Amino acid sequence: MKQTFSVIVLTCYLALRITAFPHLEKNTLQDLIKREAGPQGCPFARDAAQQKKKRQLGFDPVAQHVSTTGEHAFVAPNLAAGDKRGPCPGLNALANHGYLPHNGIAPATTIIQAVTEVYGMAIDLAAFLAQYGTAFDGDAVSLTPGYSIGGPSALGGILGGTGILRTPSGLTGSHNNYEADTSSTRGDLYLAGNNDLLQMDPFHQYYDALLDDTPAPEQYSALFRFRQGRFNDSIENNPYFFFPQFAGVLVAPAGYAFPPAMMSNKSAQYPQGYLDKETFKSFFAVSGEPGSFTYQPGYERIPDNFYKRAVGDEYSIPDYLADVLQFARQDPRLLSIGGNTGTPNTFTGISLTDFTHGVYNSATLAQGNNLQCFTFQLIQAEAPGLLTGVYEDVTQALGDLFQEIDGALDGLGCPQLEAVDSSFYGRYPGYGKTGAA
């Protein structure tokens, strides 16, 4: 069963790798994504019939069970010997249970397989995130492209491409390109001094905000005040706070949305999941009780008797964007590119109208497909310049990522964004503070 599932995942993903597999049909994965996403032209405005179908999927204890025994039994990382663990607790747990290489350096294909198999993430979201992390924080020109889920590594193989001009940073060194301020459980990089270690105060706030005996979607809804509070904390305390479009607007919300969506335990009683507090602590390497919590870095663990999302209810790009917009409609600042201008409480947003030469504006960013169109098009516009000096051939390095983006944008009818005015970034001292502390 597991082997068959893995073959299906990799076959779907590799359908876009035309250069390696020219006999495969280019649109196979894109067609699959469209079927997952819903009606063409508005993928995250699901019709009522599809939503009803998703709610009626029920619970299958065989298909949804996630193994934590045998080859997937928990094995603690040897951090002193070089095992990598980083800011993403979900990836750390996968490495500790053998779904990713135990050293924390993984091919993109393995990451895609692991997150779909264990968490029920949809292939569209899994492939996009894996390819983005590979291009920006790993090695996209290796024979086995991938990245470190923690810090830089001198290990060869995955990170052994000859066309890369510097040591890949890994996710720990991804500040402002993948990881950003306002994290749910990590500190702002230039306040905490690191971005990969859990900070107990926000963890405790998250823990307290989780509603008991409540379905996961309602648990997520109840996190809004906590999410808003973390955003305000960065404004009020971090002179270098910067909120970029991808790492901030699009990725930072994952720390709030992903645990209820994919770390919640599914059951007959809670087919959409329920994130109980013991499960929450396990995934975040925390033990003990409120007031005496203990955090053991790198020891994130999949709890025993864990059940992922139902087959057919995988967490997709449309699902995630709907979660992002749910909070952003309550506080539009959460869609603002901007930051403090050198001192606390000076948050200033960039005018999207000026930034995009009139193609987008803040008033309509939360409408229709605009958020997905703008975010992905901005990556296409800015990535070549950002990765100049990282790869000998930037076009080659971005090939797989841009293929994923083209698939995600296909059929949405996006307005054409040719370029943006990056001069606006100059007012934010935090914009240039990338990488790791």
Side-chain angles (χ1 to χ4, degrees), residues 136-309:
F136 278 83
D137 305 306
D139 184 350
V141 295
S142 168
L143 293 177
T144 51
Y147 60 86
S148 164
I149 66 174
S153 174
L155 292 178
I158 293 169
L159 305 183
T162 58
I164 191 167
L165 303 176
R166 68 184 187 192
T167 301
S169 67
L171 291 189
T172 300
S174 69
H175 187 65
N176 280 349
N177 73 47
Y178 206 134
E179 174 276 331
D181 296 331
T182 77
S183 166
S184 60
T185 61
R186 271 57 181 172
D188 285 7
L189 178 60
Y190 287 90
L191 290 181
N194 67 78
N195 61 0
D196 60 321
L197 298 178
L198 179 141
Q199 303 295 311
M200 194 54 70
D201 284 347
F203 173 83
H204 209 307
Q205 293 171 34
Y206 200 145
Y207 180 93
D208 289 342
L210 281 176
L211 297 180
D212 292 326
D213 302 319
T214 303
E218 296 175 34
Q219 289 183 299
Y220 173 69
S221 297
L223 293 174
F224 169 69
R225 293 299 178 192
F226 168 56
R227 199 282 175 266
Q228 186 181 51
R230 294 290 293 152
F231 192 86
N232 290 336
D233 285 343
S234 292
I235 292 176
E236 294 166 4
N237 296 292
N238 185 358
Y240 298 116
F241 171 44
F242 181 66
F243 204 60
Q245 180 64 21
F246 179 74
V249 173
L250 197 63
V251 175
Y256 305 85
F258 280 13
M262 290 182 287
M263 293 177 177
S264 60
N265 214 347
K266 314 308 184 286
S267 65
Q269 181 180 5
Y270 295 106
Q272 293 178 289
Y274 164 49
L275 184 56
D276 68 88
K277 292 180 176 179
E278 289 302 313
T279 296
F280 181 63
K281 288 191 297 182
S282 180
F283 271 117
F284 283 80
V286 172
S287 59
E289 299 303 322
S292 59
F293 283 141
T294 299
Y295 167 54
Q296 195 164 10
Y299 278 60
E300 290 84 352
R301 188 170 191 152
I302 303 169
D304 294 333
N305 300 312
F306 181 71
Y307 296 87
K308 66 176 180 177
R309 293 176 71 96

Side-chain angles (χ1 to χ4, degrees), residues 27 30-31 34 40-41 43 372 405-414:
N27 292 324
Q30 294 180 7
D31 290 343
K34 288 179 186 177
Q40 187 173 11
Q372 182 171 351
I405 291 176
D406 288 343
L409 296 180
D410 186 34
L412 298 189
C414 297

